[in-house]
Structures are given as structure tokens and as C-alpha cells.
Amino acid sequence: MKTIAYLLICGFLFKTGFISAAYAAVGTPGCGMFEIREGCELGGWMHLVLGDVIIGALLAIFLHVLAHRNNIKLENNARTIQKIIEMQEEQRNRRKDYSVFNLKNLFTHMLHILGQVNKSVINFNSTLDLDMEQKEKKWRQEVLRNEIQNEENRLARVIDTTRNNLLSVNDVLEPEVVNQIEGVCMYISEIKLQESSFDIIHFPKYQTSKKKIKYVIEKLNTYTIESHSFAKIAGDDFGIREDKTKNNRKILNSAAKENSGDV
């Protein structure tokens, strides 16, 4: 706006300096060039001073005031936009802080349920070695089956809740973290317990699932509220391979030893 005002003023001065000067010298004979009295008409220079110059000055003042007001308005708008941006950033950081805290609780709960399922599986398989009547053994196995199924349903609900929360906050979390969490949820949801014809239930990839969940929890624990970011951690448990064996009884005994202190 100031540039336009300056251009208008320069154009006006150019016009008055070269065009108006052509008739400014003409006046009433016997009257001075700037004389103002009865019988003397205003000369060209007086018309210039009293007319164009004053009008030009007023116009320049008007444009200056207009430009000043416009600059003030632009500055106020810039401050308002900056406040809106800061408020949105603060809201985004709060959403991120809460989402990380919530996801950490969900994965901790998921790890607990996973341990409960494994414990129930071990208890179910241990009924084969109990010295009791077959009828009572079948009853005990049925109770444990119901417990395992209930724990599986709980785990499925926690996974669904985790995915829903992840979907609602994927705009504030880093894509790497979102992909890792979604990958772990998909991995665990695809694991199905298997029961053999010998009344033995197998929990495949339990150790791998537990390590993946612990990795996510460790990753979420690196988040700091001060910086609203995650820190890098050494190692990657997502490529863990699980050894397989055909001896079901060895799997049961090794799982019981490894998880006796974890559950």
C-alpha cells in the first residue's frame, strides 16, 4: 500500500511540475505572481499552491493513514493467526501425550492378559499328569478351556481398543511408531491356540509375542513430555525367530520353566 501511495505522489508531482508550470506563469497584468487582492485573479502558481498542492498533500496524508491502518490490521491478523497456530500445536501435543500414555497402558494390559492365557494353557496341559478320576479331570479341563477362551476374548477386545485409539491419533504420532504398533497388533491377533488330539493346547509364538509387546512398551517409555518425541532404542525384536520342535511335551516343560516367574 505504501508503494502505491508513493507512486501516486510521484506521478502527481511530475504532472504539477511539468504540465501545470505551462500555465502557471499566466496571470493578471499588473499583479504579482503570488499577489492576492481585489481585481487580481489568481495566477497559475497560486492555483497550483492552493489547489493541486494542498489536494495532493491531503491525498498523500489520506493514503498514508490508510496504509498505516492496513498495516496495523495485517499485524493484528498475523498475531491472531500465530495464536491459533500455537493453540493448535499445544492441543496436538496434549493429544500426543495422552495417546502415548493410553497406548502404554493398553500394551501393559495386553502383556498381562497374554501371560494369563499362557498360565491357563500350562495349567490345562498339566491336568494330564494329575492323579484323579477321568470325570473330574474332564471337568477341570473344561473349566480351564472356558478361562482360556475368556482371556482370548479379553485380549481381542484390548487389541481392538488399541487399534481404534491408534486410528484416532495417527495424525499426531510418528508413522514409524504407528506402523510398529499396528504390526504388533496384527501379529498377536493372528495367533490361534491349537489343541492336539492328546488334549494338549499349544500357544504358538508366545515368547515372540511377549518380546514384541515389551519392545513397544520400551519404545513408548522413551517418550518425553518436554520434547513430545520418542528416543531411539538399540536393537529390534521384530525379526525374532522361533524354534520349532515336534516334541509337544518338551514345549510344555520349557514353557513352564520360562514363564514360572513371568506370570
Side-chain angles (χ1 to χ4, degrees):
M1 182 62 70
K2 286 185 177 180
T3 303
I4 297 175
Y6 293 150
L7 290 175
L8 290 175
I9 293 173
C10 291
F12 172 77
L13 293 177
F14 177 81
K15 179 257 183 184
T16 56
F18 292 92
I19 299 176
S20 298
Y23 65 85
V26 180
T28 304
C31 296
M33 184 177 298
F34 298 100
E35 187 175 358
I36 301 176
R37 63 183 178 82
E38 185 179 358
C40 293
E41 296 181 0
L42 293 177
W45 286 110
M46 289 301 296
H47 279 291
L48 177 64
V49 172
L50 298 178
D52 294 344
V53 172
I54 294 177
I55 293 175
L58 293 176
L59 180 61
I61 294 173
F62 170 75
L63 292 176
H64 176 74
V65 172
L66 187 63
H68 179 69
R69 289 183 178 180
N70 187 60
N71 289 336
I72 293 176
K73 185 177 181 180
L74 291 176
E75 292 175 358
N76 292 335
N77 291 339
R79 284 193 292 267
T80 302
I81 294 173
Q82 184 64 28
K83 288 182 180 179
I84 294 174
I85 294 174
E86 292 175 355
M87 291 176 60
Q88 290 180 343
E89 184 66 19
E90 182 179 359
Q91 185 179 7
R92 179 182 180 277
N93 289 334
R94 288 181 179 178
R95 287 182 59 211
K96 188 175 183 180
D97 296 343
Y98 175 76
S99 66
V100 172
F101 175 78
N102 192 29
L103 288 171
K104 192 191 317 182
N105 288 339
L106 288 171
F107 272 95
T108 302
H109 189 40
M110 197 183 302
L111 182 64
H112 172 73
I113 296 175
L114 203 68
Q116 289 297 112
V117 173
N118 187 65
K119 181 179 179 181
S120 298
V121 169
I122 294 175
N123 291 335
F124 179 89
N125 294 333
S126 64
T127 57
L128 295 176
D129 300 329
L130 295 178
D131 186 14
M132 61 176 60
E133 296 182 359
Q134 189 67 21
K135 183 178 180 181
E136 184 178 357
K137 184 179 295 186
K138 290 293 183 182
W139 174 82
R140 184 178 180 85
Q141 287 180 339
E142 189 64 27
V143 171
L144 289 172
R145 275 196 189 93
N146 292 332
E147 289 182 0
I148 292 173
Q149 186 176 4
N150 291 333
E151 294 297 333
E152 282 185 307
N153 293 335
R154 285 179 58 199
L155 184 61
R157 289 194 296 270
V158 173
I159 293 175
D160 289 339
T161 302
T162 303
R163 282 177 163 173
N164 292 334
N165 290 350
L166 189 65
L167 182 63
S168 63
V169 297
N170 61 0
D171 59 322
V172 297
L173 292 177
E174 287 79 353
E176 176 187 358
V177 177
V178 174
N179 293 335
Q180 289 176 346
I181 293 176
E182 176 60 29
V184 173
C185 290
M186 182 177 297
Y187 181 88
I188 298 174
S189 63
E190 292 177 350
I191 297 177
K192 303 297 181 184
L193 297 183
Q194 303 170 358
E195 186 172 357
S196 67
S197 58
F198 302 99
D199 289 336
I200 294 178
I201 298 179
H202 304 289
F203 192 173
K205 301 180 180 180
Y206 166 68
Q207 292 296 331
T208 304
S209 302
K210 186 172 68 173
K211 288 179 180 179
K212 286 178 179 292
I213 294 177
K214 286 185 176 180
Y215 174 87
V216 173
I217 294 176
E218 183 182 0
K219 183 72 174 180
L220 295 174
N221 282 332
T222 63
Y223 181 83
T224 57
I225 299 178
E226 290 77 13
S227 62
H228 305 288
S229 61
F230 297 92
K232 293 184 178 181
I233 57 178
D236 188 354
D237 293 332
F238 283 77
I240 298 174
R241 295 182 179 179
E242 193 174 31
D243 295 332
K244 296 182 178 180
T245 177
K246 297 181 179 179
N247 193 326
N248 296 332
R249 187 65 65 178
K250 287 183 179 180
I251 295 177
L252 173 62
N253 294 335
S254 61
K257 290 179 181 179
E258 291 176 357
N259 299 290
S260 59
D262 295 339
V263 181

